Amino acid sequence: MLRSSVLSLTRPRLATAIARHGFHSTAFAMAPKVVATRVLPANAQARLEKENFDLKQWKEDSSMPRETLLKEIQGAEGLICLLSDKIDKDVLEAAGPSLKVVTTLSVGYDHIDLATAKKNNVQVGYTPDVLTDATADLTVLLTLAAARKMKQGIRAVEQGEWREWRPNWLCGYQFAGKTLGMVGMGRIGEAVARRLRAFGISRTLYWGRREKPELHEPLQAEFASFDKLLTESDYIVACCAMTPETKEIFNYDAFKKMKRSAIFVNSARGGVVKQDDLIRALDEDLLAGVGLDVTTPEPLPTNSALLKHDNCVILPHIGSATIEAREVMGEMCIDNVLAGIQGKQLPFALKH
Ligand code: GLV
């Protein structure tokens, strides 16, 4: 069952290949082996299937099982993976010296062992920029949803709790004159801050890898300590990369420092939050609302205590899930693989 789910395209169309490359048929045995752990968005998939690759692709609507990945990667020159695939030392070593490029259909890369990739001369590619708008839109959606009690509202309508109009029912918070705290002011963080300014945010505190003076005037922004950001912000939004420095940075101490009226949103990685501490903070009413697009683990088990909290809106990691973004992400992965197997610099390379 597992074996038959891997689509193998080892015999590309003879006529096309001869016309394109003047290959003799024996050259087909040398088509570079490329592993793809999942089917790509439609147009990118169609293109991938036309490339002269010995393509090993998991065709099921599920993650490529680890044992299949460990087997298929042997002798591969390229790998197209997802953020849900753990590309660790075992996978990189199983590939052997043939592996030239790993490219992920994501901007996040915490699932890839960069040190081993570097040691083994494997280039790593990703899909920055193209998903910035999609992810920023969804982050704003979560911020609004958490601030305006959207989950409680939808539940009330669906469960027949919508009664007469009530002045004190489901009142949330607005944005005018408020302070936004951005944890991570990279491409996505900046796009979120710009969008929230349009809702009336008057001041932005940010904490991240480096100060960005060029943003100070347009966003009324100030590079702040993590503590200042926690204590002074009305909206605290995590858009940072997951690194040893940011791992579980949102712990009980951090939640305790936030205003009781604060809205906390995470569209970065579940691992930047110590999730049991977030549950405790919600149990103790330390926060007004929470919006999450990422959790630990993913998928979130349906018995998670997070789901019991009406003021915690959770989406299933769909930040970049627009047709537009995902198609281009697929194309970028193919461009990266093509460059990588030819020993060229990847067009969308992660510097590591
Ligand atoms: C999504 O989380 C991504 O890293 O692209």
Side-chain angles (χ1 to χ4, degrees):
M1 154 67 187
L2 294 189
R3 288 175 63 87
S4 64
S5 297
V6 179
L7 177 82
S8 187
L9 293 177
T10 48
R11 277 168 289 140
R13 270 160 246 106
L14 184 62
T16 318
I18 289 175
R20 254 214 235 158
H21 307 290
F23 282 161
H24 181 268
S25 62
T26 52
F28 297 136
M30 294 166 66
K33 182 176 180 183
V34 171
V35 175
T37 62
R38 192 100 182 198
V39 174
L40 298 181
N43 296 339
Q45 177 66 24
R47 178 181 160 206
L48 181 66
E49 290 180 9
K50 284 196 195 106
E51 294 295 344
N52 184 35
F53 294 148
D54 172 9
L55 179 64
K56 305 290 179 191
Q57 186 170 36
W58 184 249
K59 289 292 213 168
E60 300 293 310
D61 187 17
S62 59
S63 302
M64 181 185 249
R66 181 138 176 106
E67 63 272 23
T68 307
L69 174 58
L70 285 167
K71 176 173 162 290
E72 294 297 348
I73 197 71
Q74 291 168 28
E77 293 187 37
L79 169 64
I80 299 176
C81 65
L82 310 181
L83 56 85
S84 44
D85 301 310
K86 197 167 172 49
I87 309 303
D88 57 8
K89 188 163 187 267
D90 290 349
V91 172
L92 294 167
E93 302 274 306
S98 58
L99 190 64
K100 296 182 181 141
V101 52
V102 171
T103 186
T104 179
L105 192 91
S106 61
V107 68
Y109 48 83
D110 49 289
H111 54 297
I112 302 175
D113 176 350
L114 296 182
T116 304
K118 187 170 185 172
K119 181 166 108 350
N120 293 4
N121 291 319
V122 176
Q123 291 197 75
V124 178
Y126 68 150
T127 60
D129 297 313
V130 61
L131 46 65
T132 298
D133 284 339
T135 309
D137 290 350
L138 191 99
T139 307
V140 169
L141 171 71
L142 273 174
T143 312
L144 288 164
R148 295 302 301 272
K149 303 187 182 286
M150 188 142 160
K151 180 170 164 182
Q152 295 99 311
I154 291 173
R155 269 203 184 154
V157 173
E158 290 176 351
Q159 294 177 359
E161 288 160 12
W162 182 8
R163 301 184 1 232
E164 73 289 351
W165 190 89
R166 282 172 280 170
N168 297 319
W169 191 48
L170 294 183
C171 295
Y173 294 92
Q174 47 194 67
F175 292 80
K178 300 282 174 62
T179 296
L180 168 67
M182 289 300 313
V183 175
M185 191 58 116
R187 287 171 286 249
I188 297 171
E190 180 183 336
V192 169
R194 287 188 187 282
R195 281 160 173 72
L196 288 177
R197 286 276 294 164
F199 286 84
I201 287 289
S202 59
R203 172 180 179 237
T204 298
L205 301 175
Y206 69 101
W207 180 82
R209 273 188 274 234
R210 66 177 181 87
E211 187 165 6
K212 297 193 165 171
E214 69 279 11
L215 299 180
H216 290 185
E217 201 273 317
L219 296 180
Q220 289 302 297
E222 182 189 322
F223 193 49
S225 69
F226 187 56
D227 265 21
K228 178 175 163 107
L229 183 150
L230 294 176
T231 51
E232 294 186 18
S233 301
D234 301 292
Y235 294 92
I236 296 167
V237 181
C239 285
C240 52
M242 160 83 176
T243 63
E245 208 191 358
T246 58
K247 190 172 169 13
E248 298 190 343
I249 192 168
F250 291 101
N251 55 20
Y252 185 72
D253 277 353
F255 293 124
K256 217 167 155 48
K257 285 179 184 150
M258 292 179 189
K259 296 180 183 179
R260 290 227 163 186
S261 55
I263 303 291
F264 170 67
V265 174
N266 181 15
S267 64
R269 284 289 180 269
V272 305
V273 172
K274 198 164 181 197
Q275 200 159 280
D276 285 343
D277 287 8
L278 174 59
I279 292 166
R280 183 174 165 205
L282 283 164
D283 286 342
E284 295 176 10
D285 279 332
L286 296 186
L287 300 165
V290 174
L292 305 175
D293 186 41
V294 287
T295 58
T296 306
E298 292 180 8
L300 185 69
T302 50
N303 64 358
S304 165
L306 276 180
L307 294 169
K308 297 194 182 82
H309 287 279
D310 260 5
N311 58 346
C312 179
V313 188
I314 306 179
L315 292 175
H317 203 152
I318 53 169
S320 68
T322 63
I323 309 284
E324 295 91 335
R326 290 281 168 85
E327 278 293 357
V328 184
M329 289 162 74
E331 298 285 344
M332 291 162 88
C333 285
I334 300 172
D335 292 345
N336 272 342
V337 166
L338 282 168
I341 60 185
Q342 289 171 44
K344 296 184 185 153
Q345 161 80 38
L346 307 190
F348 312 103
L350 193 66
K351 310 276 180 282
H352 67 108

Coordinates of all heavy atoms in Angstrom, one line a residue, residues 83 105-109 127 131 267-269 294 317 320 329, ligand 1:
L83 N 6.5 21.8 5.6 CA 6.9 22.2 6.9 C 6.6 21.1 7.9 O 7.1 21.0 9.0 CB 6.2 23.5 7.4 CG 4.7 23.7 7.3 CD1 4.0 23.1 8.5 CD2 4.4 25.1 7.1
L105 N 8.1 24.0 0.8 CA 7.0 24.8 0.4 C 6.5 25.6 1.6 O 5.4 25.4 2.1 CB 5.9 23.8 -0.1 CG 4.7 24.4 -0.8 CD1 5.0 24.5 -2.3 CD2 3.4 23.7 -0.6
S106 N 7.4 26.4 2.1 CA 7.0 27.3 3.3 C 8.1 28.3 3.4 O 9.2 28.2 2.8 CB 7.0 26.4 4.5 OG 8.3 25.8 4.8
V107 N 7.8 29.3 4.2 CA 8.8 30.3 4.5 C 9.6 29.9 5.8 O 10.7 30.2 5.9 CB 8.2 31.8 4.6 CG1 7.3 31.9 5.8 CG2 9.3 32.8 4.6
G108 N 8.9 29.2 6.6 CA 9.5 28.7 7.9 C 10.4 27.5 7.5 O 10.1 26.7 6.6
Y109 N 11.5 27.3 8.3 CA 12.4 26.2 7.9 C 13.0 25.5 9.2 O 14.0 24.9 9.2 CB 13.6 26.8 7.1 CG 14.2 28.1 7.7 CD1 15.1 28.0 8.7 CD2 13.8 29.3 7.2 CE1 15.7 29.2 9.2 CE2 14.3 30.5 7.7 CZ 15.2 30.4 8.7 OH 15.7 31.6 9.3
T127 N 10.3 29.5 0.4 CA 9.4 30.3 -0.4 C 9.0 31.7 0.3 O 7.9 31.9 0.7 CB 8.1 29.6 -0.7 OG1 7.4 29.2 0.5 CG2 8.3 28.3 -1.5
L131 N 4.2 34.6 0.1 CA 3.1 34.3 1.1 C 2.9 35.4 2.1 O 2.0 35.3 3.0 CB 3.3 32.9 1.7 CG 4.7 32.6 2.3 CD1 5.0 33.5 3.4 CD2 4.8 31.2 2.7
S267 N 0.8 33.5 14.7 CA 0.7 32.9 13.4 C 2.1 32.5 12.9 O 2.4 32.3 11.8 CB 0.1 33.9 12.3 OG 1.0 35.0 12.2
A268 N 3.0 32.3 13.9 CA 4.4 32.0 13.6 C 4.6 30.5 13.7 O 4.4 29.8 12.7 CB 5.3 32.7 14.6
R269 N 4.9 30.0 14.8 CA 5.0 28.5 15.0 C 4.5 28.2 16.4 O 4.7 29.0 17.4 CB 6.5 28.1 15.0 CG 7.0 28.0 13.6 CD 6.5 26.8 12.8 NE 7.0 26.7 11.5 CZ 6.5 27.3 10.4 NH1 5.4 28.0 10.5 NH2 7.0 27.1 9.2
V294 N -1.3 28.4 14.7 CA -0.3 27.3 14.9 C -0.4 26.8 16.3 O -0.7 27.6 17.3 CB 1.1 27.9 14.6 CG1 1.3 28.1 13.1 CG2 1.3 29.2 15.3
H317 N -3.5 26.2 10.8 CA -2.2 26.5 10.1 C -2.5 26.8 8.6 O -2.0 26.1 7.8 CB -1.2 25.4 10.3 CG 0.2 25.9 10.1 ND1 1.3 25.4 10.7 CD2 0.7 27.0 9.4 CE1 2.4 26.1 10.4 NE2 2.0 27.0 9.5
S320 N -0.7 30.7 4.8 CA -0.4 31.0 3.4 C -1.4 30.3 2.4 O -1.1 30.3 1.2 CB 1.0 30.4 3.1 OG 1.0 29.0 3.2
M329 N 4.3 29.3 -4.7 CA 5.2 28.5 -3.8 C 5.6 27.2 -4.5 O 6.8 26.9 -4.5 CB 4.5 28.2 -2.5 CG 4.3 29.5 -1.6 SD 3.1 29.2 -0.3 CE 4.0 28.2 0.9
Ligands
GLV1 C1 4.0 28.6 7.1 O1 3.8 28.4 8.2 C2 5.2 28.7 6.4 O2 6.3 28.7 7.1 O3 5.2 29.0 5.2

